[in-house]
Amino acid sequence: MFDPSATAALEPADAARAAAGRDLLPLGVGGLCFEAGGKRIIDHLDLKIESNAVTVLLGPNGAGKSVLLRLLHGLLKPTSGAILWGGEPPSAALRKRQALVFQRPVLLRRSVAANIRFALGLRPFPDREERLSRALDLAGLAELARQPARVLSGGEQQRLALARALVLDPEVLLLDEPTASLDPASVQAIEELIGTARRAGIMVVLVTHELAQARRMAEQVVFLNRGRITEVTPARRFFDAPASKEARAYVEGRILL
């Protein structure tokens, strides 16, 4: 069972960074376009994120949210335009300072503990076993450490994926609909883990199409429609008085055509 009281167990080792909430990798996007199959999915997009507040990418299905997230992480190459993290384009070195968690967890066919050990083996951590123990406690999976990851429930698998990401102390956490199709208890557990990342000074960028989740989690909202950003605004202002007609329609539950 996930224990929210354990979420303080896995804070980044750099306590000064967590306390200061420094933005080590501010994001700047300019004129970004992405085309696939003759269709423009991201259309001349400009965006700046210079805060470790939870930024939610919100919009209807097909708006380009997940594609944008993959572009930001360097898994897709833009057709044109620029993406700069701290002034640098996406690269293998930058990806090591980030973590991306997908809607469907990508787990090794190994035990729960072995999945986290594999991640820890990617960095020269001197305290790997201690980090492993804290990660298992954080995710509420200590009692399942020897179980094969594939036999976990959907919510447990996603908690494992998040704990495996956080154990590496990323500066940026990118999340692509991490609670889709999960039960309410699992959603709450995942949101607790995201809150842990936020309190640790990690920049969080969360893709969701769930308005209720966006209301709970967002500090800043980036609203996309048809591959374009129509609004970037603090979450409270967005939900109280969305500025664009597309965002107003979405918040009111109307269908966007």
Side-chain angles (χ1 to χ4, degrees):
M1 177 82 59
F2 175 79
D3 179 7
S5 66
T7 57
L10 190 68
E11 302 295 340
D14 186 348
R17 188 190 83 197
R22 291 192 291 117
D23 301 321
L24 300 182
L25 281 178
L27 171 65
V29 176
L32 186 66
C33 294
F34 179 76
E35 297 178 359
K39 179 180 178 181
R40 178 162 290 184
I41 300 171
I42 299 295
D43 190 6
H44 291 94
L45 187 147
D46 298 315
L47 176 64
K48 287 185 178 181
I49 301 179
E50 298 176 318
S51 168
N52 66 347
V54 176
T55 297
V56 169
L57 304 184
L58 191 62
N61 289 335
K65 305 184 297 296
S66 295
V67 170
L68 175 58
L69 206 70
R70 284 160 172 77
L71 286 164
L72 296 182
H73 195 49
L75 297 183
L76 296 175
K77 184 177 180 180
T79 303
S80 60
I83 299 171
L84 298 176
W85 288 100
E88 300 179 26
S91 65
L94 275 173
R95 280 195 292 275
K96 291 181 180 179
R97 299 167 65 184
Q98 305 174 354
L100 173 60
V101 176
F102 296 96
Q103 177 178 337
R104 297 185 65 179
V106 179
L107 301 173
L108 301 174
R109 296 178 68 86
R110 304 181 187 180
S111 71
V112 170
N115 267 269
I116 298 176
R117 280 200 184 95
F118 176 82
L120 287 168
L122 301 176
R123 306 281 180 84
F125 291 123
D127 57 343
R128 291 181 184 175
E129 289 305 306
E130 182 180 349
R131 284 175 174 269
L132 170 62
S133 178
R134 294 203 308 265
L136 291 170
D137 287 340
L138 174 72
L141 296 172
E143 295 182 358
L144 301 175
R146 296 183 180 181
Q147 293 291 320
R150 59 185 174 82
V151 306
L152 299 179
S153 69
E156 289 166 342
Q157 288 187 355
Q158 195 62 288
R159 278 153 45 197
L160 172 57
L162 263 171
R164 186 179 60 182
L166 291 176
V167 80
L168 295 177
D169 293 345
E171 296 167 38
V172 179
L173 180 62
L174 306 170
L175 303 167
D176 189 4
E177 300 201 37
T179 62
S181 303
L182 296 184
D183 63 274
S186 294
V187 171
Q188 183 179 19
I190 297 301
E191 291 182 358
E192 288 280 354
L193 287 170
I194 296 170
T196 295
R198 170 67 179 88
R199 291 189 295 275
I202 298 171
M203 179 192 291
V204 177
V205 182
L206 167 66
V207 168
T208 184
H209 66 274
E210 294 287 344
L211 272 172
Q213 182 170 70
R215 289 179 185 273
R216 290 191 300 270
M217 301 299 298
E219 295 171 271
Q220 174 177 258
V221 172
V222 176
F223 186 81
L224 288 89
N225 187 46
R226 296 185 179 182
R228 294 185 176 184
I229 292 176
T230 67
E231 194 164 346
V232 180
T233 187
R236 181 173 297 181
R237 185 185 307 165
F238 176 84
F239 291 112
D240 288 347
S244 66
K245 63 180 181 180
E246 295 88 355
R248 286 197 298 273
Y250 188 80
V251 170
E252 293 168 4
R254 290 187 277 125
I255 296 174
L256 289 174
L257 300 177

